[in-house]
Amino acid sequence: MLADWVIYTALICFSIYAVVMVFYYKTLLKKEISMRDFMKNNLDDTEIVIRKLQVQLQRSLGNIDILTDELNKIKADVTSLRTRNSQYRIENDKLRQRIKELEGKIEALL
């Protein structure tokens, strides 16, 4: 009788322990599933953001290429304008010299 009582008590304790462990692992499994779903959604969102940023970067790089081309054109224009300006200064200096010569001749005639 005592042996039966000990066996039944052990079986009941083991059954309670098994039920508690089943619920514990079931709860852990639910947490793992929810965490996995959260991580999957988070990774998907991150992937979308990365794609958007890549598109923006490609557009920016394209804009930079366009701006670089425009800058090079403007530099070439500035260089040609400086050259023309130098030529005009030289021509202007020659004309001033000629004016001074003519003024000298006029004064000599008067």
Side-chain angles (χ1 to χ4, degrees):
M1 176 139 138
L2 183 61
D4 289 337
W5 183 80
V6 169
I7 291 173
Y8 288 135
T9 303
L11 284 174
I12 290 173
C13 288
F14 178 74
S15 298
I16 290 173
Y17 175 76
V19 169
V20 168
M21 291 308 287
V22 165
F23 284 120
Y24 174 74
Y25 285 117
K26 186 177 178 183
T27 304
L28 282 180
L29 179 64
K30 285 181 182 178
K31 284 182 181 178
E32 276 299 314
I33 289 172
S34 67
M35 184 61 82
R36 185 190 67 203
D37 291 340
F38 173 75
M39 291 298 286
K40 183 180 177 196
N41 290 335
N42 194 10
L43 286 174
D44 291 342
D45 292 344
T46 305
E47 227 176 278
I48 291 169
V49 169
I50 288 172
R51 285 187 188 136
K52 286 180 181 178
L53 290 175
Q54 283 177 337
V55 168
Q56 286 179 354
L57 180 62
Q58 288 172 350
R59 287 181 184 162
S60 297
L61 291 176
N63 290 342
I64 288 174
D65 291 340
I66 291 170
L67 291 175
T68 303
D69 292 341
E70 290 293 323
L71 182 63
N72 290 335
K73 288 177 186 176
I74 290 172
K75 283 181 182 178
D77 290 344
V78 167
T79 304
S80 68
L81 287 174
R82 284 183 181 168
T83 304
R84 284 176 41 197
N85 191 20
S86 297
Q87 291 172 352
Y88 289 146
R89 283 186 183 172
I90 292 170
E91 186 179 328
N92 195 15
D93 289 341
K94 288 179 183 178
L95 290 175
R96 282 186 185 162
Q97 185 65 30
R98 179 74 174 144
I99 289 171
K100 285 182 183 178
E101 289 174 9
L102 291 175
E103 284 176 350
K105 287 182 180 180
I106 291 174
E107 286 180 15
L109 291 174
L110 293 177

